[in-house]
Amino acid sequence: MSRKRLLLFKVLTIFFPIIVLVLLECGLRLFGYGLDLGLFVDDPNHPGYLVMNQHTSKKYFSQQQNATVGNYEPFRKQKTPGTFRIFVLGESTTIGYPYMHNGSFHRWLQYRLTHTFPEKEFEIINLSLTAVNSYTVLDFANQAVDYEPDAVLVYTGHNEYYGAMGVGSTSFAGWNPSLIRFIIKTRNLRIIQLVTNILAKIKSSASSEKIDLRENLMKRMVSDQKIDLNSEKFKQGINQFEANMTDLCKVFSNKNIPVFISTLVSNEKDLKPFISESGRNSTSASKQYQLGIESFKHNKFSEAEKYFVEAKELDLLRFRAPAAMNKILRGLPSKFPAVKLVDAEKVFRENSAHGILGHETLLEHVHPNLFGYALLSDVFYQSLKKEKLISSDWKNEISFAELRNQMPITPIDSLKAVYEMMMLKEGWPFNEPMPAEIPHKKTIEEQLAGGLSVKQISWEDALSELLKVYLKANNLKGALQINEAFTLEFPLDLTFFMQAGMLSAGLNQNEKSIFYLKKVFDIQNNFKTAQTLFITLLKEDRPEEAVVYLNYAAAHNESNFNMTELQNLVGDIINLKQKYQLDSGNINISNQIALNYLKFANTKAAEKYINRTLQKDPKNANALLLKEKIKSVSGK
């Protein structure tokens, strides 16, 4: 054989397996075998939009039955100018368990930001999954970085040992972070999916042990129930967390994308250790916990906190992130200028009895209650404000108290979480008997929440059924709450914005009505929306804004009312207000504005100017006459 032929033969020998594999991969894709496991796919319901791929989690779970599903939150494939896009990365706490939907902190944040900046468009996309850890979060970060986020919010760490591919999990894939990341990447290949499926079937047929889906996911994910503090496996969990979080920060910092990373919170006072070694006080989680209980009873709170924290650290079942992880998180901003620390732990302690984390903010071991989720949203909100990332002007900011009062969390959301917690705690590792049910006639909210908690009905269908009940009973406040909840869940469906706007107007919640109807009108102009908007804006003494919608309504008039006279009156009011701004002490101008408002029965705005006159001249005859006229118009 000639030298050239020999060389060719060697080259073909080397590359033949690769060529076969490439051809096999192409063939599998051509015939539609396997799944696209990328983070985003086209939204089939909204052309031009992307959504989180519901199959993407299968890359991380060796047992596919344990793979979890994320949120359905569409966002534009081509980001529009002026849109502020936020990606949220994390685990079950970050996705809002057990409330989900609007109970999640990112929805609290979404509601508050959209009301703080009503003219701005926000896309807040939650990319969190239950039962994953920093490997998944990092992989999502590597993909999300190319989709133009203006900010990234991260809350992760509690699942580092038992989340998918964790060192103590049933899907453990190795000790080396680089190797595990390589394995994750290869699972996109159809060949790897084919081999994985074949091996899974062989293992399933050969093994007598089947995955019991009746067991909760916590139990199904745990392989090693005892991981000692500072053991090799413990240190491996810390090391993988530090490596993954460092690389996550590097990914976004390289693109100058701000990252807001939160410290972690977990129950210290109101949750005894899951598994404890018996022995000396210093190494027994249970004995440290009892010392904490005794110190707390005797009002020795600093001492109690020390014992409770040590009990958590010594707990062998690692469902709560150790203190070392918060130390890592606190150190990241000094390494990466684009990274900002969001200190949730500090704020949660400030809102807990004597600074010890417990039931004031947490439901069980790590998941916040509604107050806790509101707090978590607030720390991110305040960090965004501090960095002036969205704007330097936060003049329309709604307070934390207002947020808690207005946030559309329905009775179904709250009750569903209560029921889900009882079911969770009945199983391992809590093993708490479900409390005996007190016999009573269940309300419609309890019935629907019960069905939702056992997956007999979807969240959307449950709220839709409750909406029908509220409307039939003329419960406009309850109906508004549900429609507001739907605006957060379905931001592309203008029907819910329209209904929320109309219901708000009917309840005289004018600012809220204006907020929702403007959202509708900006996308879909119509007479009814314009009419409600100009009426409501005039009630709020905002004629400069109202005239835009008044002119539209006049040009597209679907009523029998001639709007020319109203247009003239509103024009006069605008001119008078401009003069009044230059001469606010002029009683005649304030009286004239009030009179013009009364000409179309706008008593609310008229009274505002009459009261201004009477403050300056309590006996002003014209103002008193107008006051009487208001009484006759309003029927008081």
Side-chain angles (χ1 to χ4, degrees):
M1 186 180 294
S2 68
R3 190 174 295 177
K4 286 185 178 180
R5 285 189 176 184
L6 182 60
L7 178 61
L8 178 62
F9 179 78
K10 288 181 177 179
V11 169
L12 288 175
T13 302
I14 293 169
F15 285 100
F16 182 74
I18 297 173
I19 294 169
V20 171
L21 289 173
V22 170
L23 290 174
L24 178 57
E25 177 70 18
C26 292
L28 290 170
R29 288 175 182 262
L30 181 65
F31 288 99
Y33 181 84
L35 296 166
D36 174 7
L37 300 182
L39 179 55
F40 298 119
V41 293
D42 289 328
D43 181 2
N45 301 316
H46 303 99
Y49 283 79
L50 296 171
V51 290
M52 187 177 180
N53 185 355
Q54 299 299 286
H55 298 294
T56 192
S57 65
K58 293 178 180 178
K59 286 168 66 176
Y60 316 104
F61 292 85
S62 57
Q63 297 171 328
Q64 298 291 282
Q65 298 94 325
N66 292 334
T68 53
V69 176
N71 283 357
Y72 172 82
E73 293 178 336
F75 65 98
R76 285 185 180 87
K77 189 180 292 189
Q78 296 296 325
K79 184 179 170 185
T80 56
T83 297
F84 196 89
R85 179 176 290 172
I86 298 174
F87 286 139
V88 181
L89 298 171
E91 307 156 359
S92 58
T93 295
T94 323
I95 205 173
Y97 180 85
Y99 303 95
M100 316 302 278
H101 303 284
N102 295 334
S104 169
F105 89 84
H106 85 292
R107 290 283 175 83
W108 288 82
L109 182 64
Q110 180 182 341
Y111 186 88
R112 198 174 183 186
L113 286 176
T114 53
H115 284 266
T116 301
F117 303 99
E119 306 302 325
K120 196 166 189 66
E121 184 174 359
F122 290 92
E123 292 176 340
I124 305 181
I125 314 303
N126 197 328
L127 304 176
S128 305
L129 288 172
T130 301
V132 299
N133 61 23
S134 63
Y135 282 119
T136 300
V137 173
L138 173 60
D139 191 45
F140 281 5
N142 283 322
Q143 298 174 73
V145 70
D146 295 324
Y147 290 84
E148 302 179 79
D150 295 291
V152 177
L153 315 183
V154 183
Y155 184 96
T156 189
H158 286 304
N159 288 351
E160 209 54 38
Y161 292 95
Y162 301 127
M165 298 189 165
V167 296
S169 75
T170 52
S171 58
F172 174 63
W175 296 97
N176 189 302
S178 298
L179 174 62
I180 296 175
R181 293 176 196 175
F182 176 74
I183 291 171
I184 289 171
K185 288 183 183 299
T186 63
R187 287 181 177 175
N188 288 306
L189 298 172
R190 301 303 195 268
I191 295 174
I192 298 300
Q193 292 180 33
L194 175 64
V195 172
T196 302
N197 292 339
I198 291 171
L199 291 175
K201 286 182 180 179
I202 294 172
K203 183 179 178 181
S204 177
S205 60
S207 174
S208 58
E209 293 184 14
K210 304 288 182 182
I211 295 176
D212 189 351
L213 296 178
R214 293 172 299 177
E215 298 284 3
N216 65 42
L217 188 57
M218 291 176 74
K219 186 170 185 178
R220 301 203 307 267
M221 290 298 295
V222 172
S223 173
D224 190 342
Q225 294 186 15
K226 293 185 177 183
I227 300 177
D228 288 296
L229 183 66
N230 295 323
S231 64
E232 282 304 310
K233 190 168 284 191
F234 176 90
K235 291 175 183 176
Q236 181 60 34
I238 301 299
N239 292 339
Q240 75 182 31
F241 181 73
E242 183 170 22
N244 289 335
M245 295 310 293
T246 299
D247 284 352
L248 177 145
C249 293
K250 194 179 297 181
V251 165
F252 291 115
S253 293
N254 288 342
K255 294 282 184 79
N256 295 314
I257 297 169
V259 182
F260 295 81
I261 292 189
S262 174
T263 51
L264 302 162
V265 296
S266 56
N267 200 333
E268 299 163 350
K269 172 171 62 70
D270 299 309
L271 183 86
K272 63 182 181 180
F274 289 117
I275 299 177
S276 174
E277 288 284 13
S278 57
R280 297 180 312 222
N281 285 352
S282 59
T283 59
S284 169
S286 293
K287 289 180 179 178
Q288 289 290 308
Y289 184 75
Q290 286 303 316
L291 289 170
I293 293 289
E294 290 302 315
S295 296
F296 194 88
K297 284 179 182 178
H298 291 91
N299 299 328
K300 298 178 180 179
F301 302 118
S302 297
E303 187 178 274
E305 180 184 351
K306 183 187 73 172
Y307 287 129
F308 285 134
V309 170
E310 188 63 19
K312 182 204 73 170
E313 294 291 292
L314 290 169
D315 190 348
L316 297 176
L317 191 59
R318 298 281 163 196
F319 277 126
R320 293 177 288 180
M325 289 184 181
N326 270 347
K327 185 177 180 181
I328 290 167
L329 294 169
R330 292 182 194 280
L332 290 172
S334 62
K335 301 175 184 176
F336 303 96
V339 177
K340 313 299 176 186
L341 184 73
V342 177
D343 204 345
E345 185 193 20
K346 178 176 179 289
V347 173
F348 272 61
R349 288 195 183 281
E350 290 170 352
N351 287 272
S352 302
H354 310 291
I356 305 172
L357 299 173
H359 61 70
E360 294 88 354
T361 58
L362 296 155
L363 290 168
E364 17 76 321
H365 58 310
V366 295
H367 299 110
N369 54 28
L370 281 177
F371 176 56
Y373 277 120
L375 278 179
L376 190 55
S377 77
D378 185 56
V379 291
F380 279 104
Y381 180 87
Q382 297 301 335
S383 294
L384 289 166
K385 180 183 176 183
K386 180 183 177 183
E387 297 300 321
K388 299 180 180 179
L389 200 57
I390 300 166
S391 171
S392 58
D393 181 8
W394 291 60
K395 64 182 179 182
N396 295 321
E397 176 182 1
I398 62 174
S399 69
F400 184 62
E402 288 173 319
L403 172 67
R404 292 189 67 199
N405 183 54
Q406 294 180 27
M407 185 67 188
I409 304 292
T410 71
I412 286 178
D413 296 308
S414 300
L415 288 166
K416 179 258 185 184
V418 171
Y419 301 152
E420 194 140 332
M421 274 294 104
M422 288 193 293
M423 290 187 290
L424 177 74
K425 289 184 177 181
E426 187 181 30
W428 183 89
F430 302 95
N431 301 316
E432 297 178 11
M434 194 173 289
E437 185 177 359
I438 300 172
H440 70 287
K441 185 179 180 181
K442 290 186 178 179
T443 64
I444 183 64
E445 291 89 350
E446 289 174 320
Q447 293 173 39
L448 291 168
L452 178 59
S453 64
V454 294
K455 298 179 174 57
Q456 290 179 345
I457 188 172
S458 70
W459 181 83
E460 180 185 356
D461 288 344
L463 263 63
S464 296
E465 285 298 314
L466 187 59
L467 179 59
K468 292 176 187 175
V469 173
Y470 284 166
L471 290 173
K472 188 175 180 180
N474 201 34
N475 180 354
L476 299 186
K477 187 177 179 181
L480 171 60
Q481 185 183 58
I482 291 173
N483 274 287
E484 281 199 273
F486 280 149
T487 64
L488 293 172
E489 183 78 9
F490 308 109
L492 302 182
D493 192 333
L494 294 180
T495 305
F496 300 121
F497 288 83
M498 187 71 180
Q499 291 173 354
M502 292 300 180
L503 286 165
S504 299
L507 290 164
N508 291 319
Q509 297 183 24
N510 293 335
E511 290 298 334
K512 189 173 283 188
S513 178
I514 291 166
F515 170 83
Y516 284 115
L517 293 180
K518 275 189 173 183
K519 294 288 185 187
V520 175
F521 194 84
D522 286 346
I523 299 171
Q524 190 179 87
N525 299 351
N526 65 72
F527 172 80
K528 186 178 180 183
T529 308
Q531 183 184 43
T532 308
L533 268 170
F534 79 69
I535 290 172
T536 309
L537 284 163
L538 288 172
K539 284 181 180 179
E540 294 300 307
D541 186 33
R542 292 157 66 178
E544 303 85 357
E545 295 176 63
V547 73
V548 175
Y549 304 102
L550 175 57
N551 290 341
Y552 178 89
H556 303 80
N557 198 345
E558 297 177 5
S559 69
N560 296 321
F561 181 74
N562 188 338
M563 296 188 184
T564 305
E565 183 180 356
L566 181 58
Q567 286 175 294
N568 292 333
L569 280 171
V570 171
D572 289 343
I573 291 170
I574 292 171
N575 291 330
L576 286 166
K577 281 190 70 177
Q578 289 172 348
K579 292 177 182 178
Y580 190 65
Q581 285 177 350
L582 299 172
D583 186 9
S584 60
N586 194 320
I587 289 172
N588 292 330
I589 297 177
S590 62
N591 281 344
Q592 187 58 49
I593 295 172
L595 180 61
N596 280 9
Y597 272 132
L598 277 177
K599 285 179 181 178
F600 53 91
N602 187 350
T603 58
K604 182 180 178 180
E607 193 164 20
K608 172 183 174 180
Y609 288 93
I610 293 168
N611 289 338
R612 286 184 180 181
T613 297
L614 292 174
Q615 283 176 357
K616 294 181 176 66
D617 182 4
K619 295 182 179 181
N620 185 276
N622 288 334
L624 291 170
L625 189 63
L626 290 170
K627 194 89 169 175
E628 289 301 315
K629 194 168 184 179
I630 286 177
K631 289 180 181 179
S632 64
V633 170
S634 60
K636 292 180 181 178

